[in-house]
Amino acid sequence: MDRLDNTIRPYAWGSPTAIPHLLGTEPTGEPQAEMWMGAHPGAPSRTERGTLVEVIDADPQRELGERAVTKFGPRLPFLLKILAAGAPLSLQVHPDLAQAKEGYEDEERRGIPVDAPHRNYKDANHKPELICALTEFDGLCGFRHPLQAAALLDGLGVDSLKPYVDLLHAHPVEAALREVLTAVLTADPEDMAHTVTAAATACDRLGGDYAPYAGIAHHYPGDPGVIAAMLLNHVRLQPGEALFLGAGIPHAYLSGLGVEIMANSDNVLRCGLTPKHVDVPELLRIVRFEPGDPGILRPEASPDGEEVYETPIDEFRLSRYVLPEAGTVHDLTRDTPQILLCTAGTVRAGEHELAPGQSVFVPVGDKAELSGTGTVFRATVIV
């Protein structure tokens, strides 16, 4: 079992205080957006044996187990994060596995450098993800029903939004959503900036259901993503609740602190709320234009005290233990690799005492006993 020393990424949208508060450290005044736990080459966790990438590369079967290596290859298939959103993240979607492989191979054939700003596919993997709230957490997830989106836009009283309102009344609903998103993202930039400014002013005045979009517009004035965001469900998670974000589902995190886990990939296609590249044709190929409830997840408890967030993929499995009192010992030994993350209290994982924000990597089969008082998230895989 290895104690992890993890990198904090200073993305501009990060909260300057949420992660320091969790860790019990002084804020630096700079944004602290994400703390990465895992073996992603961009910022691998460090151990006394070297980086987690080096540790796994030296003996994948010993660290990950034969079944995990056979199923996912000689790499840790998930990345665990603490995410602290102080401002909205970009509105985005992720490809499925077939789309990622196809897109990656196409860009490789065309000789687009992996670090090029207009490159869409950094790897050939998909990127399903799960976010679990540690504090109240606001986000956008999946399309509203077109009639609900039409009512929201119409309520702003902005004349230049009327054509979108009319389109949203068309049938079938998937085509209506596609038409409107396409129109918003391909509109004349100057005209759209005026529309967004007028919509933002109305959102400020109206408040209520419009308040989240007023906040988004404050951070991204004139961005067409502000209008695109109004096509999506607004979700407010309470601590312990989670969202699963599968392929093709448009989403954005707006504010709050959470534990995020994802397949080990960098593939993102952006819809707006960003100065970065937006590839509209490729985006429209990936997005699933299916309205529906975003589906808030709550953990399912097992007799041994493990609370599992069920998802339909195998690259990761997230669960938590809420330990109400010292003295009880939970045996977490598994035949799969694990990362254990403390988010509250003080707990002991094997020989390591963990405070909030501290974590350990547990190689396959290593004895892993958990005790203490607090909350621990457990990340592993399904083989």
Side-chain angles (χ1 to χ4, degrees):
M1 188 181 298
D2 299 278
R3 180 181 289 274
L4 299 179
D5 179 16
N6 303 305
T7 297
I8 295 175
R9 310 306 295 263
Y11 305 136
W13 49 261
S15 165
T17 58
I19 288 178
H21 179 74
L22 179 73
L23 299 176
T25 59
E26 285 296 317
T28 64
E30 298 299 317
Q32 298 189 30
E34 296 180 346
M35 186 171 77
W36 288 20
M37 290 156 280
H40 191 287
S45 299
R46 298 170 293 277
T47 77
E48 291 185 350
R49 297 189 285 159
T51 71
L52 198 52
V53 169
E54 293 167 342
V55 169
I56 291 171
D57 284 350
D59 194 346
Q61 297 216 3
R62 164 67 188 92
E63 304 298 330
L64 306 178
E66 183 177 349
R67 288 194 296 162
V69 170
T70 299
K71 188 168 185 176
F72 304 113
R75 59 185 180 84
L76 190 66
F78 64 82
L79 176 63
L80 184 66
K81 300 179 180 180
I82 294 175
L83 182 146
L89 282 67
S90 62
L91 191 59
Q92 59 189 259
V93 296
H94 307 301
D96 64 25
L97 193 54
Q99 291 165 339
K101 288 179 177 178
E102 181 182 348
Y104 179 78
E105 290 169 0
D106 174 64
E107 291 185 327
E108 286 289 280
R109 280 194 303 270
R110 290 191 283 143
I112 301 174
V114 172
D115 59 354
H118 63 289
R119 173 120 184 189
N120 294 314
Y121 297 95
K122 305 295 194 294
D123 53 69
N125 199 18
H126 63 163
K127 193 185 178 186
E129 59 188 52
L130 177 78
I131 184 77
C132 178
L134 294 178
T135 65
E136 193 170 77
F137 194 98
D138 274 24
L140 305 171
C141 179
F143 286 106
R144 300 173 182 268
H145 190 280
L147 295 183
Q148 295 174 331
L152 195 69
L153 291 175
D154 197 34
L156 293 172
V158 176
D159 287 344
S160 54
L161 290 174
K162 297 295 185 184
Y164 305 139
V165 173
D166 292 341
L167 283 172
L168 287 166
H169 283 89
H171 294 283
V173 295
E174 291 85 357
L177 291 168
R178 177 182 288 274
E179 286 290 326
V180 173
L181 184 62
T182 303
V184 167
L185 297 181
T186 57
D188 177 81
E190 187 174 341
D191 290 345
M192 179 52 66
H194 288 307
T195 296
V196 172
T197 299
T201 300
C203 286
D204 269 327
R205 182 184 72 252
L206 294 167
D209 290 343
Y210 292 97
Y213 307 101
I216 292 170
H218 171 75
H219 289 284
Y220 298 99
D223 192 305
V226 175
I227 306 302
M230 298 184 75
L231 303 176
L232 306 186
N233 297 295
H234 174 244
V235 183
R236 177 163 292 164
L237 300 178
Q238 298 304 313
E241 295 180 336
L243 283 175
F244 173 72
L245 302 159
I249 304 299
H251 62 277
Y253 302 146
L254 304 181
S255 64
L257 182 70
V259 173
E260 184 183 35
I261 190 168
M262 62 187 62
N264 207 345
S265 170
D266 273 338
N267 288 326
V268 175
L269 288 131
R270 296 174 177 85
C271 316
L273 310 182
T274 177
K276 295 181 179 179
H277 176 61
V278 176
D279 184 336
V280 175
E282 185 64 12
L283 171 72
L284 296 174
R285 189 177 78 89
I286 299 302
V287 172
R288 290 169 54 191
F289 291 94
E290 300 172 3
D293 187 283
I296 294 176
L297 295 178
R298 295 172 181 86
E300 298 183 13
S302 61
D304 67 353
E306 185 180 26
E307 299 177 350
V308 181
Y309 294 91
E310 297 288 353
T311 65
I313 53 96
D314 294 343
E315 281 90 341
F316 61 74
R317 176 184 182 273
L318 186 71
S319 62
R320 69 173 184 174
Y321 287 83
V322 180
L323 309 175
E325 58 186 24
T328 303
V329 177
H330 296 269
D331 186 357
L332 274 59
T333 307
R334 286 182 69 95
D335 60 355
T336 53
Q338 306 178 72
I339 291 178
L340 306 178
L341 165 67
C342 176
T343 60
T346 302
V347 300
R348 178 165 288 278
E351 70 273 23
H352 300 284
E353 187 172 279
L354 303 180
Q358 296 180 336
S359 56
V360 293
F361 172 70
V362 186
V364 60
D366 272 23
K367 188 71 173 176
E369 291 187 336
L370 183 67
S371 61
T373 304
T375 301
V376 172
F377 282 83
R378 176 196 218 182
T380 186
V381 299
I382 298 174
V383 294

